Amino acid sequence: MINKIGVENFRVFKEYTEFEIRPITLLTGPNNSGKSSLIKLFLLIKKGLFNFNFKAGQHNLEDFDKILNWNSESKDLILRFKANIPVFKDVEVEYVYRNNSVQKITLFSQKVRLLSYTYKIDGPNLDWDVIAGNDFYYEFLDVNIEEIINLLYNSDFEILNPWKDFVPDHPLPKWVKPHRDDLDKEYNIENYKSFDHGSPEHALDLKATYALFNEIKKLKKNYLLYDLYIEDQKCTNDHKEELLKVQKQVFSSLNFEEDHEDPSGYYTDVFQSFSDSFLDVEDQAHQKIEEYFIDKIPNLKVTLKETMLNRILFLEKWFAYDNSTSLLEKIRLFDQFFNFDLDFHKELNQIDFISANRGNQKRVLQNESESEIDKLVADFVDGGEKNKEFLHSVLKILGIQGELTPERYENTISVVYLIHENQKISLADLGYGFSQVIPIILKIIMSKDFLIIEEPEANLHPSLQSKFADILLAAINEYPDKQFLIETHSEYLIRKLQYLTAKKDLKKDDTIIYYFNSDEFVSSNEPKVKKIEITETGNLTDSFGPGFFDETTRLQFDLMKINREQKN
């Protein structure tokens, strides 16, 4: 599920703009204000995040240079998402694109940078035949080690949330080396099934997290990952400030040079290189810090030893990981920072779209045509039968009596009928408005979990525009995982959503509105995109821009003024 997306330097979004995505997310505003920019962005990233495919999809975008904001001097495009990391809460991942490729990946927590990975290319072009064998690209990892340690000290782990109320009432397992091979035997995973409400590998994660929680609570908050020994004597306290200073510097300047003799995979997959760079972070830092003190204290035996904080973060293998061969392979806490889908393939694969060009009044529909209704009907016949009950309830909302029944001929054409009281009425005879809304209903039934709807009010009478809010309410009740991103100019739709929220049919957090201002009204006090919420009482948290939904009121006052002048 996509909960949030941030974007900078894409079409109308010159400055960083963030969108929270809810079950119902509305984009509204005057024509040519940029509402379609967000829709085009979703349709673009649907094909993948590593580099964008401008030849496929419904976004109608030409190339990378032309999607950048035309008033910006920057050549970088920035996207940000919430990363679904299993352990740490509220972590966001940011991608910086240059020349249509990811060049930098940064993780944030509560807007604070945790780490940055940079993939730098110094060559004149990207042709491996030309640059192979030369040092043309590098990888840099800048780890904000203090903030990562702060996350540990806070120990607010996502996986504990469902069981937090149980923690005081249960003895928590404790061990120092959970990566031992006999772990699952020693702690008898089977005994945790009832407590975990899940699978054995999840039970292992939960037990490990409790043990991790215990070990962290024992730590002194000194931020030290290493103890310094000189001639086998512990001298950490004498060099504490210097240890912390060098530790911070070293972790912020790690670099990795790829083997240019074997570029297969690395050069073409920045995401894989990002993950691989985590493997020896501690080894590299340990070596550099130790070398620093060896140079500083010559002629004496100098060694570094890992503190318990270091073992918790970099050495102990706490968590189960599905590597497709062994569900109980375990990984480190630090590895959690790349233990999520960098390409967001599962979430982006859920994006679906229905355009304003969706209906027609033809009696015979072909499998493929310019109108989406043709293919929708064919798909519905093939797989939509199980949703007939929902379809019937929506027809009832629209005041349409009867049952919508498509008929297929030779598996190439369809005819849609409404059957009521032994009468068979063609969809083409229901009126043009219904021919526009029926495709949306079929798309809701047949689509994946993220549906973009372009101008659902097109060619609809005001009463049908209002009823579309009831259809959305029915849809999120029937399909709780679905999200709707809707571009609309309909005041009737928005007012009805306010009404349904005030009635408590919709929850306050079910809906969010983004108003796009015309450029002429953008100022320091009036942003390009304004976030508006519907309160529990049905009111709006902010007003729409000048000249938008107040047009009817303005005309009424103008008419009253004319009438008054005529009487005088």
Side-chain angles (χ1 to χ4, degrees), residues 285-431:
H286 191 148
Q287 179 180 346
K288 289 184 176 181
I289 297 172
E290 193 169 68
E291 288 173 352
Y292 170 86
F293 283 100
I294 289 174
D295 291 342
K296 182 179 176 64
I297 311 172
N299 304 320
L300 293 176
K301 179 184 176 183
V302 176
T303 55
L304 286 183
K305 293 184 180 180
E306 300 89 355
T307 64
M308 179 55 72
L309 174 63
N310 185 308
R311 297 188 67 83
I312 287 172
L313 180 59
F314 289 109
L315 299 182
E316 303 296 347
K317 295 184 178 180
W318 305 94
F319 300 101
Y321 175 63
D322 183 0
N323 69 348
S324 76
T325 59
S326 171
L327 282 173
L328 291 183
E329 179 184 352
K330 293 176 282 292
I331 61 176
R332 306 170 303 169
L333 182 60
F334 186 66
D335 296 334
Q336 294 293 328
F337 289 116
F338 68 88
N339 188 17
F340 67 97
D341 181 9
L342 272 166
D343 204 12
F344 286 86
H345 176 76
K346 181 179 177 181
E347 289 85 356
L348 299 182
N349 192 48
Q350 295 298 311
I351 295 174
D352 219 331
F353 174 69
I354 183 164
S355 70
N357 180 30
R358 53 183 168 262
N360 63 53
Q361 287 191 293
K362 295 187 299 183
R363 296 183 182 276
V364 177
L365 307 177
Q366 300 177 1
N367 285 358
E368 300 287 346
S369 79
E370 292 183 359
S371 297
E372 294 187 57
I373 181 65
D374 297 57
K375 188 174 187 306
L376 277 170
V377 169
D379 290 344
F380 180 75
V381 172
D382 292 338
E385 292 295 314
K386 62 182 179 181
N387 297 285
K388 275 196 169 184
E389 187 176 336
F390 173 73
L391 175 59
H392 182 72
S393 68
V394 171
L395 292 178
K396 199 171 180 181
I397 291 172
L398 295 172
I400 301 175
Q401 295 182 327
E403 183 176 339
L404 200 67
T405 304
E407 294 183 1
R408 297 277 287 154
Y409 298 95
E410 300 293 333
N411 203 32
T412 57
I413 62 172
S414 308
V415 181
V416 183
Y417 294 104
L418 185 71
I419 299 177
H420 178 59
E421 295 181 349
N422 297 323
Q423 287 188 327
K424 200 173 181 181
I425 305 169
S426 171
L427 178 63
D429 294 327
L430 288 179

Side-chain angles (χ1 to χ4, degrees), residues 53-155:
N53 187 342
F54 290 97
K55 296 180 180 179
Q58 298 169 283
H59 48 73
N60 197 30
L61 297 169
E62 190 172 350
D63 58 41
F64 184 82
D65 290 339
K66 291 181 181 176
I67 65 174
L68 302 178
N69 180 272
W70 43 87
N71 293 321
S72 174
E73 296 181 1
S74 173
K75 299 298 182 182
D76 294 339
L77 167 66
I78 296 175
L79 296 180
R80 190 181 292 189
F81 303 88
K82 182 177 180 181
N84 298 315
I85 293 178
V87 175
F88 295 113
K89 294 175 58 180
D90 300 323
V91 176
E92 295 182 348
V93 56
E94 178 182 278
Y95 303 104
V96 177
Y97 295 80
R98 171 77 62 93
N99 297 324
N100 199 31
S101 292
V102 175
Q103 293 217 327
K104 188 173 184 179
I105 302 173
T106 305
L107 296 185
F108 296 87
S109 178
Q110 303 292 337
K111 309 300 182 185
V112 177
R113 182 184 59 82
L114 298 177
L115 59 88
S116 296
Y117 168 85
T118 303
Y119 193 87
K120 186 175 182 181
I121 302 174
D122 291 330
N125 59 58
L126 308 184
D127 185 352
W128 262 106
D129 293 334
V130 176
I131 68 175
N134 298 306
D135 293 334
F136 276 86
Y137 75 100
Y138 309 87
E139 296 173 77
F140 302 93
L141 190 62
D142 175 357
V143 179
N144 190 345
I145 196 65
E146 287 184 358
E147 289 302 327
I148 289 179
I149 293 173
N150 275 331
L151 283 184
L152 262 67
Y153 285 151
N154 293 332
S155 60

